[in-house]
Amino acid sequence: MYKHLLIRNIRLIEVIEMVKVFIDPGHGGTDPGSVGNGLREKDLTLSIATRIKDILLIEYNNVSVKMSRTQDTFPSLNDRTNAANAWGADFFLSIHINAGGGTGYEDYIYTSTNQITKTYQDHIHSEVMKLINIQDRGQKTGDLHVLRETDMPALLTENGFIDNVNDAAKLKTSSFIESLARGHVNGLVKCFNLTKKSTAVYHTVVSGDTVYSLSNSYGSTVQQIKDWNGLDSQYTITVNQKLRVK
C-alpha cells in the first residue's frame, strides 16, 4: 500500500508598497508669489513641480504622486498640508522661487526635525546642485507652515532668485527647468531607493541642451547617447530632435 502525499504549491506574494510623494507648487491663483524680470513665481513652481511628477511617473517603479495644485489655483496652506496628511504621503516637497536681491539655490527643513528628514535634505540638495550652474546658498531650517504642519518628512526648495537678472535668465530656459526637476528627482531616487522602469527613455532637445548635460541629467554616458542616436564625432544635436538618453 502506497501513501500518496498531497503537496500544495504555496505562492508567496510580495506586497510592494508604493512610495507616496506629495508635490506642492508654491502660490497660485490670486497669489502670484514673487514677480520679476517678466516672470511669476506661481508659473515657475507649477512648471518645475509638474516636470518632477512626470519624470517620477514615467521613468520609475512603485511611486505615486499627488500635487497640491495642477492648475493656476490657490489652495490655502492648510489645504496643502491637510491633503498630504490625509493621503498618508511619505514625503512632502514644496517648490518655490526666491526673491530679495540674492542669487542661488537653497532648501529648508523644519527647525526641529529628525535625522531622516535631514538625510533626505542632504540627498536632494546634493543632487540638485550637481545639475545646475548656480550659487549654493546652503541647507537651512525654518519655521514654515508646510514644514511644521506636515506629518511626514518635508522639504521646501528655493530655486533661484526671480529678481536677479542672471537667475531669471536661467529660469526662462527649458533646459534649466529640466535640470532643476531632474535634480529633485535624482534626490528622491536616493531617498527612497526608487528603481528605473526597464524601458528606453527619450528626450526632445531644447535650446541649451548638450550631450554632456543630458548624460548628467539622465545618468547615462556621453558615449552611450552618441551610440544610441548615431551622432557624429562632434556630438551634434539640434532643437526638437528626439534622442534616446537612457
Side-chain angles (χ1 to χ4, degrees):
M1 183 175 181
Y2 295 94
K3 291 183 178 180
H4 295 282
L5 299 178
L6 177 61
I7 300 175
R8 294 182 179 179
N9 292 325
I10 301 175
R11 179 180 296 174
L12 298 179
I13 301 175
E14 182 180 358
V15 178
I16 300 175
E17 293 187 4
M18 300 289 283
V19 175
K20 295 180 176 182
V21 178
F22 191 95
I23 308 175
D24 171 42
H27 307 282
T30 56
D31 175 15
S34 300
V35 177
N37 293 296
L39 297 170
R40 299 183 300 185
E41 182 178 3
K42 68 174 183 177
D43 301 327
L44 293 168
T45 60
L46 185 58
S47 293
I48 296 166
T50 300
R51 186 61 185 136
I52 293 171
K53 172 189 68 89
D54 289 345
I55 296 170
L56 285 171
L57 295 180
I58 292 170
E59 299 182 18
Y60 289 91
N61 296 305
N62 306 323
V63 60
S64 180
V65 178
K66 281 192 176 181
M67 293 174 62
S68 61
R69 65 182 181 95
T70 57
Q71 299 178 11
D72 187 18
T73 57
F74 180 65
S76 70
L77 293 177
N78 281 328
D79 289 338
R80 298 169 198 248
T81 53
N82 288 346
N85 292 339
W87 186 42
D90 296 301
F91 190 72
F92 184 99
L93 176 63
S94 190
I95 305 296
H96 286 259
I97 309 297
N98 227 330
T103 181
Y105 169 89
E106 63 192 16
D107 43 48
Y108 290 83
I109 55 177
Y110 185 49
T111 50
S112 176
T113 192
N114 55 38
Q115 183 57 46
I116 291 176
T117 302
K118 181 65 173 68
T119 298
Y120 290 171
Q121 182 185 33
D122 291 343
H123 288 327
I124 293 174
H125 187 97
S126 173
E127 292 301 319
V128 169
M129 291 310 305
K130 285 179 184 178
L131 296 185
I132 58 173
N133 182 23
I134 198 171
Q135 181 178 324
D136 185 349
R137 294 174 59 86
Q139 299 172 231
K140 302 181 179 181
T141 61
D143 184 12
L144 305 171
H145 177 95
V146 296
L147 305 179
R148 183 181 64 248
E149 301 300 327
T150 39
D151 296 337
M152 70 293 302
L155 180 74
L156 183 147
T157 65
E158 295 277 8
N159 298 272
F161 279 72
I162 205 166
D163 55 351
N164 178 282
V165 173
N166 293 327
D167 286 12
K170 294 177 185 293
L171 287 163
K172 289 178 180 178
T173 66
S174 298
S175 58
F176 188 70
I177 298 299
E178 179 72 13
S179 293
L180 284 169
R182 286 273 166 195
H184 283 79
V185 168
N186 293 346
L188 289 167
V189 168
K190 279 194 169 182
C191 292
F192 296 102
N193 297 312
L194 300 177
T195 59
K196 278 267 193 179
K197 292 180 178 178
S198 56
T199 54
V201 176
Y202 292 86
H203 173 90
T204 301
V205 176
V206 298
S207 178
D209 281 343
T210 65
V211 173
Y212 178 73
S213 69
L214 293 174
S215 70
N216 284 334
S217 294
Y218 289 91
S220 303
T221 67
V222 169
Q223 188 62 45
Q224 283 176 321
I225 295 176
K226 179 179 183 292
D227 292 344
W228 286 331
N229 299 282
L231 302 181
D232 61 26
S233 60
Q234 301 301 311
Y235 302 92
T236 304
I237 58 176
T238 58
V239 172
N240 294 326
Q241 181 179 0
K242 188 175 182 181
L243 296 175
R244 180 183 172 186
V245 290
K246 189 71 177 177

